[in-house]
Amino acid sequence: MILSVENLSKSYGHVQALKDVSFTVPSGSVFGILGPNGSGKTTLLGTVMDIIKPNSGTYKWFDEVPTEKHRKQIGTLLETPNFYHYLSGKKNLEIAAAIKEKGKEDIQKVLDTVRLSQRQISKFSTYSLGMKQRLAIASCLLGDPEVMVFDEPTNGLDPEGIAEIRELMKTLYKQGKTI
């Protein structure tokens, strides 16, 4: 299993965000977490990415207790992408690769994959919302991770942008990625 979650719970004061959540994600699958706003989806993803500490329960990545090594094998997009607005898409990816300590040689490939090659030297501030999302996905692809975790990758996109992201997800799935 890529991810195993067992009885995960998280509360914020009196608000129970997660209550005994359990599931498994097999390798090579596209796994979705559905629910209304405020149902704990982002809390769940933040927890399994070790950003939020659970009150109880456990999770494993790659059938092991997660470590920094495991997290480096996962491309992650949680909530709003953070990039430098005054830098180009390419320069932002160079910084992301340096932070991740991998993937610098992948920059052109990931820009091609998300169809941003023609705008790679444009400032991030000039990107449409869909382009910003695609750049965030490109950042996730640096280092060719086998697993990607996306929190609402189509949030705020128009129908064309949603279709583009869905097609990209299909392409990544066909490449054997777990999403």
Side-chain angles (χ1 to χ4, degrees), residues 7 12 32 35 43 53 90 95 99 108-109 119 121 131 134 142 168 172:
N7 302 314
Y12 298 100
T43 296
K53 298 296 180 198
K90 183 177 181 182
I95 292 169
I99 291 168
Q108 194 58 54
K109 177 183 169 192
R119 293 289 306 272
I121 61 170
M131 292 168 71
R134 286 187 291 167
L142 291 170
L168 178 57
L172 295 171

Side-chain angles (χ1 to χ4, degrees), residues 82-97:
N82 286 326
F83 292 105
Y84 294 101
H85 291 267
Y86 54 90
L87 295 177
S88 70
K90 183 177 181 182
K91 187 65 179 168
N92 272 294
L93 289 180
E94 289 172 1
I95 292 169

Side-chain angles (χ1 to χ4, degrees), residues 157-169:
L157 299 182
D158 60 19
E160 183 179 340
I162 291 170
E164 287 178 9
I165 298 300
R166 286 183 179 161
E167 283 304 311
L168 178 57
M169 297 293 165

Side-chain angles (χ1 to χ4, degrees), residues 96-108:
I99 291 168
K100 294 177 181 188
E101 298 177 350
K102 63 179 179 179
K104 191 168 186 173
E105 66 283 351
D106 297 337
I107 291 173
Q108 194 58 54

Side-chain angles (χ1 to χ4, degrees), residues 80-152:
T80 307
N82 286 326
F83 292 105
Y84 294 101
H85 291 267
Y86 54 90
L87 295 177
S88 70
K90 183 177 181 182
K91 187 65 179 168
N92 272 294
L93 289 180
E94 289 172 1
I95 292 169
I99 291 168
K100 294 177 181 188
E101 298 177 350
K102 63 179 179 179
K104 191 168 186 173
E105 66 283 351
D106 297 337
I107 291 173
Q108 194 58 54
K109 177 183 169 192
V110 300
L111 283 166
D112 292 343
T113 299
V114 300
R115 298 184 313 171
L116 282 177
S117 296
Q118 292 183 357
R119 293 289 306 272
Q120 66 182 304
I121 61 170
S122 299
K123 289 183 181 179
F124 181 76
S125 62
T126 68
Y127 282 14
S128 68
L129 185 54
M131 292 168 71
K132 290 175 180 178
Q133 288 293 92
R134 286 187 291 167
L135 187 67
I137 292 169
S139 180
C140 292
L141 294 172
L142 291 170
D144 196 29
E146 65 179 278
V147 178
M148 281 158 284
V149 175
F150 299 121
D151 185 11
E152 299 190 43

Side-chain angles (χ1 to χ4, degrees), residues 31-66:
F31 188 90
I33 300 168
L34 302 174
N37 291 341
S39 64
K41 300 178 302 290
T42 297
T43 296
L44 175 61
L45 294 177
T47 301
V48 299
M49 292 313 303
D50 201 31
I51 297 167
I52 298 170
K53 298 296 180 198
N55 297 111
S56 62
T58 61
Y59 61 93
K60 292 181 178 180
W61 283 104
F62 311 99
D63 293 320
E64 297 177 8
V65 174

